[in-house]
Amino acid sequence: MTILIVNGPNLNRLGLRKPEIYGTKTMAQILLEIQQKWPDVHFIYRQSNHEGDLIDWIQEANDQQHGIVLNAGGYSHTSVALRDAVEECKVPVVEVHISDITQREAFRRVSLLTGVCAHSIIGHGTDGYSEAVEWLLNNI
Ligand code: CA2
């Protein structure tokens, strides 16, 4: 079983700034906890600040991975191209947002991805990543 975890723009800054919104854990810590919780699962982690990278990885996952955890960051609210890639993806994609985007600025309240993702976990802090993995393992 291989699960791809993809983070979008600025999420490489996790744990370094804005702890009041995004918590204090770095992605390395979050990934370590996930790997320790599910030692038999092969996790691949990718992060990019570039829209096309995220689209390429979603497309490639069709052949190589069993499920995807996706926090597309700001592109969740803007990218029709990323939505199209997720819609076409044959493996289930679980959307994660660390913060509760429904309670933030108006421009963050709509995610273009929600309608094409198998499941969404919004506003559960960084625990949302592990909850997304759990959902995939129960539903793949
Ligand atoms: O709540 C989320 O997970 C978001 O996807 C995070 C995105 C934001 O644009 C979305 O509206 C909601 C941004 C992540 C920025 O992360 C930072 C973390 C630490 C320091 C600076 C940025």
Side-chain angles (χ1 to χ4, degrees):
M1 174 77 64
T2 302
I3 291 180
L4 173 67
I5 301 175
V6 176
N7 269 346
N10 299 308
L11 285 157
N12 52 319
R13 308 286 294 152
L14 215 52
L16 305 179
R17 282 184 51 240
K18 299 193 177 173
E20 68 287 0
I21 303 177
Y22 300 117
T24 54
K25 288 182 185 170
T26 63
M27 202 57 207
Q29 290 173 305
I30 295 163
L31 291 168
L32 187 64
E33 286 173 11
I34 288 175
Q35 188 66 78
Q36 285 172 343
K37 197 166 175 185
W38 292 284
D40 298 332
V41 177
H42 181 215
F43 292 101
I44 297 170
Y45 173 64
R46 295 198 162 121
Q47 187 277 331
S48 177
N49 295 326
H50 305 279
E51 188 177 9
D53 286 341
L54 307 183
I55 292 169
D56 287 345
W57 296 333
I58 300 288
Q59 288 182 357
E60 287 163 16
N62 271 331
D63 305 318
Q64 292 163 28
Q65 279 98 38
H66 299 100
I68 302 172
V69 174
L70 174 63
N71 184 347
Y75 288 136
S76 314
H77 316 295
T78 62
S79 177
V80 173
L82 185 57
R83 179 193 160 99
D84 288 344
V86 172
E87 187 174 26
E88 201 227 348
C89 186
K90 291 185 185 64
V91 299
V93 180
V94 178
E95 172 186 31
V96 169
H97 292 290
I98 300 165
S99 62
D100 185 355
I101 54 172
T102 67
Q103 302 300 314
R104 296 184 65 190
E105 306 96 318
F107 60 83
R108 284 186 216 274
R109 287 186 203 145
V110 173
S111 164
L112 300 184
L113 305 180
T114 302
V116 291
C117 283
H119 188 59
S120 296
I121 295 173
I122 294 172
H124 293 194
T126 51
D127 290 347
Y129 288 97
S130 121
E131 290 173 26
V133 169
E134 192 153 28
W135 190 93
L136 282 169
L137 295 175
N138 288 332
N139 289 277
I140 285 171

